[in-house]
Amino acid sequence: MSSSLVLSEIQNHVAILRLNRPQVLNALSLELMDELVTCIEMFDQDEQIRCMVITGNERAFAAGADIGDMATATPIEMYLRDQFTKWERIRKVKKPLLAAVNGYALGGGCELAMLCDLIVCGENARFGQPEIQLGIIPGAGGTQRLTRAVGKSLAMQMILTGRTISAEEALQYGLVVKVVPVECTLKETIKIAEEIAAKPPIAVQMAKEAILMAFETSLSEGLLFERKNFYLLFATEDQKEGMNAFTEKRKPQWKGK
Ligand code: CAA
């Protein structure tokens, strides 16, 4: 499916979603986010899709929420519009979501990348939460997810001063999993997505769910959640297949059942 603000294509069980407002560095307008959330939810329901990749272009992943949408808004308009609640729907997606980031990932762009399950970036990537320079603070998770990703000191500096960090720094602080040449970013991310897509899908989804639970619960609750998912996987045909294939020294054939 292709729409104007988010272009999508499917490749070997992987859906690739490209943010498509290059003239404004992929600023995340209300319409773009509507399309993105709709697309992601559609692929989450599609049995053919096992993993998704969100990307932008070489200059920008996304330079933030669209400032034009917000500049003259009143508090009540912002409250009624409640635009960031929609972003929460991305958090509910069961399938892994990967971000392939080149160029700017600022404000909402950085927050969108951090909403994904892992980030691969190009050497020219710049991550930041520059909202303070607009007289606001991050509104789509930046204070929470950046702090969890890079730690308190750097998050404080980035959010209180608007300082952006390079791809190398992002790697050093664990915000991204890999830095690659700009022209390889999407290809490398798809490679990881395909690797994930080749694994038993129910186990992948339950593993994602359990990892994300680490950010929501105490250790005891998280361990209990993990254990329940672990036991539950013994109800799948893929568990039997995986263990039989190991014993029979052959490659498993996953069914997603
Ligand atoms: N919203 C709307 N338009 C944007 C935009 C944004 N977030 N970011 C860039 N643009 C537009 C620019 O207005 C410009 O449009 P025109 O050509 O019509 O003037 C076009 O994109 C290209 O941008 P620049 O000319 O500014 O490009 P540059 O290379 O000189 O600078 C930049 C690049 C440093 C990223 C600069 O564009 C910039 O600072 N952008 C804003 C970044 C920002 O503050 N993001 C946070 C937004 S608020 C937010 O995201 C809240 C939240 O928590 C969700």
Side-chain angles (χ1 to χ4, degrees):
M1 187 190 96
S2 277
S3 56
S4 55
L5 301 174
V6 179
L7 307 175
S8 64
E9 61 177 289
I10 296 169
Q11 202 174 302
N12 299 331
H13 299 295
V14 175
I16 301 149
L17 296 99
R18 188 184 286 279
L19 309 175
N20 186 36
R21 292 186 80 208
Q23 68 286 4
V24 285
L25 305 179
N26 287 335
L28 303 167
S29 62
L30 301 172
E31 296 76 17
L32 185 152
M33 286 308 297
D34 274 347
E35 280 189 26
L36 183 65
V37 171
T38 304
C39 257
I40 290 175
E41 287 182 337
M42 185 188 74
F43 287 132
D44 203 34
Q45 295 299 318
D46 183 338
E47 280 187 14
Q48 290 310 305
I49 304 301
R50 294 189 178 169
C51 202
M52 291 175 244
V53 174
I54 304 181
T55 195
N57 54 56
E58 291 206 350
R59 195 163 165 227
F61 178 72
D66 193 308
I67 298 169
D69 281 345
M70 299 181 290
T72 60
T74 66
I76 297 302
E77 278 164 356
M78 290 302 284
Y79 172 77
L80 292 176
R81 180 192 293 170
D82 196 15
Q83 67 198 71
F84 300 131
T85 294
K86 176 161 293 144
W87 295 43
E88 284 289 299
R89 281 162 52 191
I90 299 176
R91 194 160 73 94
K92 306 253 158 50
V93 163
K94 286 196 176 323
K95 293 172 187 169
L97 206 49
L98 279 51
V101 173
N102 278 330
Y104 297 113
L106 301 180
C110 187
E111 290 166 309
L112 177 60
M114 292 190 295
L115 248 180
C116 294
D117 299 308
L118 67 85
I119 306 172
V120 174
C121 76
E123 287 162 346
N124 72 343
R126 289 226 67 98
F127 296 89
Q129 299 289 161
E131 289 90 344
I132 201 79
Q133 282 148 195
L134 299 168
I136 54 170
I137 66 171
T143 61
Q144 304 304 300
R145 292 200 178 91
L146 188 66
T147 307
R148 283 165 167 81
V150 305
K152 178 180 156 190
S153 279
L154 183 58
M156 281 283 184
Q157 189 195 22
M158 290 172 69
I159 293 169
L160 302 189
T161 70
R163 164 162 117 74
T164 60
I165 59 170
S166 66
E168 277 311 320
E169 282 177 288
L171 183 65
Q172 182 191 339
Y173 284 94
L175 181 61
V176 306
V177 75
K178 197 169 185 185
V179 179
V180 296
V182 171
E183 62 280 9
C184 302
T185 310
L186 183 59
K187 204 169 67 190
E188 285 294 322
T189 315
I190 291 173
K191 217 196 278 176
I192 298 175
E194 286 179 346
E195 232 181 285
I196 295 171
K199 299 289 182 287
I202 301 173
V204 164
Q205 289 182 27
M206 284 198 188
K208 163 175 166 161
E209 200 180 19
I211 293 167
L212 291 179
M213 198 52 87
F215 295 97
E216 306 285 344
T217 63
S218 67
L219 180 60
S220 319
E221 287 166 327
L223 290 172
L224 182 61
F225 186 85
E226 177 193 80
R227 211 147 57 227
K228 292 272 167 74
N229 273 4
F230 179 84
Y231 297 147
L232 190 54
L233 282 166
F234 284 72
T236 63
E237 291 180 28
D238 283 343
Q239 174 271 326
K240 304 283 175 288
E241 169 64 8
M243 294 196 179
N244 285 339
F246 178 81
T247 314
E248 293 159 14
K249 300 191 188 305
R250 62 174 172 81
K251 231 178 141 219
Q253 300 294 320
W254 307 123
K255 290 193 182 145
K257 288 183 184 165

